[in-house]
Amino acid sequence: MKEIVKINLDNEMDLILAHKRAMKISEMCGMPSSAQTRFSTAVSEVARCSIAKGKNSVLSIGINVIRPTQKEILAILTDTIDLKKCNPEAYQYAAKISGNIEYTYSGNQSVTKLSQSVLSPGLLSDLKIKSLVDYFKYEPPLSPYDEIRKKNIELIALSEKLGESENRYRRLANTLPVLICVVNDKNYVTTVNDSLNEYLEFPLTIFDKKTLPNFIHPDDVTVIYEGWSKAKKDRNAFSSEIRIRKDNSYIWHLVSIIPNKADDGSFNSWLIYFVDINAQKTVVETLKDNSELRKIQRELENANTKLLFKNKELEQFAFIASHDLQEPLRKILIMLSRAAQYLTEEQKKLYYFDKITLAAGRLSTLITDVLDYSRIDNKSQNLHEVDLNEIIAETINDLSMVIEEKDAIITINPLPTVIGISSQLRQLFYNLINNALKFNTSQPIVTVCSSMSENDYEFEKDKSLNDYYVISVSDNGIGMSKEYSGRIFDMFQRLHQRDQFGGNGIGLALCKRIIENHNGIINFASEPDAGTTFWIYLPKKQSIGIL
């Protein structure tokens, strides 16, 4: 229903308003005089019953659009009393003269609906309905009572909005971690937020030179009082750093005193708030007394600036590598493929087609590997429980063709469920098992198990081996000398010629970065021609969520 008027039914004057407005709406909707009278009389009968017997009665009259070709005038009267039970004769009479009345009562709420079909629904457009609403909104008062009632309704609505605004302001002031109070021109405190009350632990009723020493440091009382006196005289804001007592110590705060300007431009109160700056102040004071710390701070700032610049460069490189480098390479490979269609094998060898194609392919793989390394990040990924048995099974499936080609023997012992990022852990085990298959000149034998470490890795003082899951990946491959142990996890480190074993020397650097993202550790034990074992340490306890 599109409501046109609403009337609170309190007394006989409201009954007159209900009858006249029901009659007027019927008239404006083009109803015949007889239909106008019947409808408004039926509304009056129910309204009379509500005024006499009801409680919290409200009458709404509007237009109900059933469909574009069917519209009706609808009057809905709500009450908290079972009106029909109180006066069944009134309802019988209303039903007799109207013929279209519905009544329900449930949950201590009665609803009476009286309807009257509009004879020419096509003429009652949305614009027409809006004009009805505007008519009653701006119509002249029917009587002095009606005028007073309208003014009271407007005042009540304004009062409710004002109260709601004040409540919102108070809730906001109470939730802020700032000490706030409002003081009038006579120094009396009119408003205090919960934070200030809890901080002071005593009621602050007046803000003057006698009460300030109760919570302000003695050396700061004169500063704040003289500053405020000058601000009151000049009608300007004032701010300063002062100390407020908390328990048996003083905490540095920034005090700001701001004049509250009324609508007419006058000043009648002052907003005073205190912000805790003790941590910043402590740092500043410490730096003042310690030149070495100032030097370190400058170095850290410079290092941070350089780091931000390097990160920006890395982002730009990632974009260039993913688009500006890969796209030309794809075109080169396509053009080489097309050109090769018209050359004989001798011509291809003559023009080094095979070597050019292999070099372009290696460059494309290198770009992809570097991009993979730069994308290993944990800032936007959530930690969750990861079953390493499922991760290994997926990895073995991805490497099935290589395993079958090399007739490799893969042994997987039961593995734990850890807290981590599944996509990164899958890439970790893929790289390690793929290396075990690649760097092998005989039938590869790879074993993955969860066990205590047998190597000589020493944990830091605040770490214990019992706090970690230990997973090993062992193989019978070519192994490596201990002289390479210091740089095996560095970028682009290759221990063999490219024509012996493929790769770009990024795989293990990627593994190390993944482990660091998980607050873990990775190291290895290896001997030439005796295989390699990689040891992975993953924390047993990590917070679920963003790492």
Side-chain angles (χ1 to χ4, degrees):
M1 181 185 78
K2 298 182 180 180
E3 184 179 273
I4 296 175
V5 296
K6 178 185 283 188
I7 305 169
N8 293 326
L9 301 175
D10 297 323
N11 52 52
E12 293 296 328
M13 295 301 297
D14 296 321
L15 180 61
I16 296 172
L17 291 177
H19 182 272
K20 288 188 175 182
R21 283 176 177 161
M23 178 74 81
K24 188 64 178 178
I25 290 174
S26 301
E27 177 189 344
M28 297 175 76
C29 290
M31 303 301 300
S33 298
S34 58
Q36 296 175 27
T37 303
R38 286 197 303 272
F39 179 71
S40 57
T41 302
V43 171
S44 298
E45 282 299 314
V46 177
R48 189 190 306 279
C49 177
S50 179
I51 291 171
K53 304 289 186 180
K55 184 179 180 182
N56 301 324
S57 303
V58 178
L59 172 66
S60 298
I61 307 176
I63 304 299
N64 185 30
V65 181
I66 302 171
R67 59 178 64 92
T69 58
Q70 185 179 0
K71 299 173 184 176
E72 62 182 8
I73 305 171
L74 183 61
I76 301 176
L77 190 149
T78 59
D79 204 299
T80 56
I81 302 298
D82 188 349
L83 296 177
K84 189 174 182 179
K85 184 178 179 181
C86 294
N87 196 340
E89 293 81 7
Y91 272 81
Q92 289 174 3
Y93 182 65
K96 180 179 178 181
I97 59 176
S98 174
N100 297 309
I101 183 170
E102 297 178 11
Y103 179 80
T104 59
Y105 179 76
S106 62
N108 295 325
Q109 181 76 23
S110 67
V111 179
T112 306
K113 295 182 180 180
L114 298 104
S115 60
Q116 182 71 45
S117 297
V118 177
L119 298 180
S120 301
L123 300 177
L124 199 59
S125 63
D126 290 341
L127 187 60
K128 175 68 174 177
I129 295 173
K130 184 179 181 303
S131 69
L132 295 179
V133 175
D134 292 339
Y135 174 84
F136 286 101
K137 183 177 181 180
Y138 302 109
E139 71 167 334
L142 299 177
S143 64
Y145 168 80
D146 187 30
E147 183 174 10
I148 293 172
R149 183 181 183 83
K150 279 187 175 182
K151 295 295 183 183
N152 284 339
I153 291 172
E154 291 175 0
L155 287 173
I156 290 171
L158 183 61
S159 175
E160 289 175 351
K161 287 182 180 179
L162 181 60
E164 184 180 350
S165 177
E166 289 179 349
N167 288 334
R168 283 199 302 267
Y169 170 78
R170 186 173 294 277
R171 286 196 299 269
L172 177 62
N174 285 335
T175 55
L176 288 173
V178 178
L179 315 180
I180 302 174
C181 65
V182 177
V183 181
N184 63 21
D185 269 346
K186 295 183 178 180
N187 297 344
Y188 286 102
V189 178
T190 59
T191 305
V192 178
N193 76 335
D194 290 347
S195 297
L196 182 56
N197 272 332
E198 293 171 3
Y199 192 95
L200 297 181
E201 297 181 350
F202 68 85
L204 183 63
T205 58
I206 192 166
F207 197 85
D208 60 13
K209 202 167 185 177
K210 293 181 179 179
T211 58
L212 289 179
N214 293 334
F215 63 99
I216 302 294
H217 192 282
D219 295 343
D220 300 331
V221 171
T222 302
V223 173
I224 184 173
Y225 190 76
E226 289 182 354
W228 186 34
S229 298
K230 187 176 185 303
K232 285 199 293 184
K233 180 180 178 181
D234 299 337
R235 296 298 182 181
N236 288 325
F238 165 76
S239 65
S240 180
E241 295 178 354
I242 61 162
R243 287 158 287 183
I244 301 179
R245 187 172 63 227
K246 179 65 175 176
D247 299 329
N248 296 322
S249 61
Y250 284 92
I251 307 298
W252 279 102
H253 284 73
L254 175 67
V255 59
S256 297
I257 304 178
I258 302 172
N260 278 338
K261 185 181 287 187
D263 293 338
D264 59 359
S266 63
F267 295 90
N268 53 15
S269 63
W270 298 80
L271 174 65
I272 303 176
Y273 60 89
F274 307 87
V275 180
D276 188 335
I277 59 167
N278 199 64
Q280 299 92 312
K281 193 72 175 178
T282 301
V283 171
V284 171
E285 293 298 327
T286 302
L287 290 175
K288 284 181 179 178
D289 300 332
N290 195 323
S291 59
E292 185 61 29
L293 282 179
R294 289 199 300 272
K295 180 181 177 181
I296 293 173
Q297 183 189 31
R298 286 194 296 269
E299 291 175 353
L300 286 174
E301 289 174 352
N302 292 334
N304 186 52
T305 302
K306 291 179 180 178
L307 180 60
L308 291 174
F309 180 74
K310 291 296 182 183
N311 285 340
K312 190 65 178 178
E313 284 185 333
L314 182 60
E315 291 176 5
Q316 293 173 348
F317 167 75
F319 175 78
I320 293 171
S322 62
H323 184 271
D324 294 358
L325 295 180
Q326 287 283 22
E327 186 61 26
L329 271 178
R330 282 193 289 269
K331 290 181 179 178
I332 290 171
L333 290 170
I334 291 172
M335 287 187 288
L336 284 172
S337 175
R338 291 178 179 175
Q341 295 176 2
Y342 304 100
L343 299 177
T344 64
E345 292 299 325
E346 292 182 0
Q347 289 174 322
K348 291 179 183 178
K349 292 179 181 179
L350 178 63
Y351 297 116
Y352 303 104
F353 262 66
D354 292 342
K355 291 184 178 181
I356 295 173
T357 303
L358 287 173
R362 284 197 302 271
L363 181 56
S364 179
T365 303
L366 176 61
I367 292 170
T368 302
D369 288 345
V370 173
L371 278 175
D372 288 341
Y373 183 84
S374 67
R375 286 168 179 161
I376 292 298
D377 195 4
N378 56 15
K379 292 181 180 179
S380 60
Q381 300 192 56
N382 289 330
L383 293 175
H384 56 274
E385 290 189 348
V386 180
D387 187 347
L388 292 184
N389 297 290
E390 295 180 0
I391 295 294
I392 293 295
E394 294 170 0
T395 302
I396 297 302
N397 184 59
D398 293 341
L399 294 168
S400 58
M401 291 185 66
V402 181
I403 293 171
E404 184 177 349
E405 178 185 341
K406 294 203 169 189
D407 194 24
I409 299 174
I410 310 293
T411 303
I412 309 296
N413 293 330
L415 299 175
T417 296
V418 301
I419 304 299
I421 303 169
S422 57
S423 60
Q424 293 187 15
L425 292 175
R426 188 180 298 109
Q427 191 166 17
L428 167 72
F429 285 103
Y430 180 92
N431 287 353
L432 292 177
I433 296 175
N434 187 45
N435 281 355
L437 297 171
K438 182 196 302 183
F439 298 105
N440 202 310
T441 56
S442 60
Q443 182 185 25
I445 300 175
V446 183
T447 303
V448 182
C449 64
S450 176
S451 61
M452 297 299 292
S453 172
E454 298 177 359
N455 65 329
D456 296 326
Y457 186 82
E458 295 183 2
F459 279 78
E460 299 177 14
K461 293 181 180 180
D462 60 341
K463 295 180 180 179
S464 170
L465 187 61
N466 294 327
D467 296 332
Y468 290 80
Y469 293 111
V470 184
I471 298 97
S472 63
V473 179
S474 305
D475 64 58
N476 63 335
I478 61 175
M480 67 191 85
S481 299
K482 291 183 179 180
E483 62 183 283
Y484 300 114
S485 60
R487 56 190 178 93
I488 187 176
F489 294 109
D490 295 340
M491 289 277 286
F492 305 115
Q493 291 300 315
R494 292 180 50 82
L495 308 184
H496 309 281
Q497 296 298 321
R498 192 180 301 278
D499 56 359
Q500 289 181 292
F501 300 98
N504 296 306
I506 297 178
L508 290 179
L510 198 63
C511 292
K512 183 179 180 182
R513 190 165 184 184
I514 291 171
I515 290 298
E516 289 174 348
N517 277 356
H518 288 74
N519 299 317
I521 302 161
I522 183 171
N523 66 338
F524 72 98
S526 182
E527 292 291 338
D529 301 320
T532 302
T533 299
F534 283 93
W535 301 94
I536 300 165
Y537 303 82
L538 292 173
K540 293 182 179 180
K541 294 181 180 180
Q542 296 203 81
S543 299
I544 299 292
I546 296 178
L547 189 63

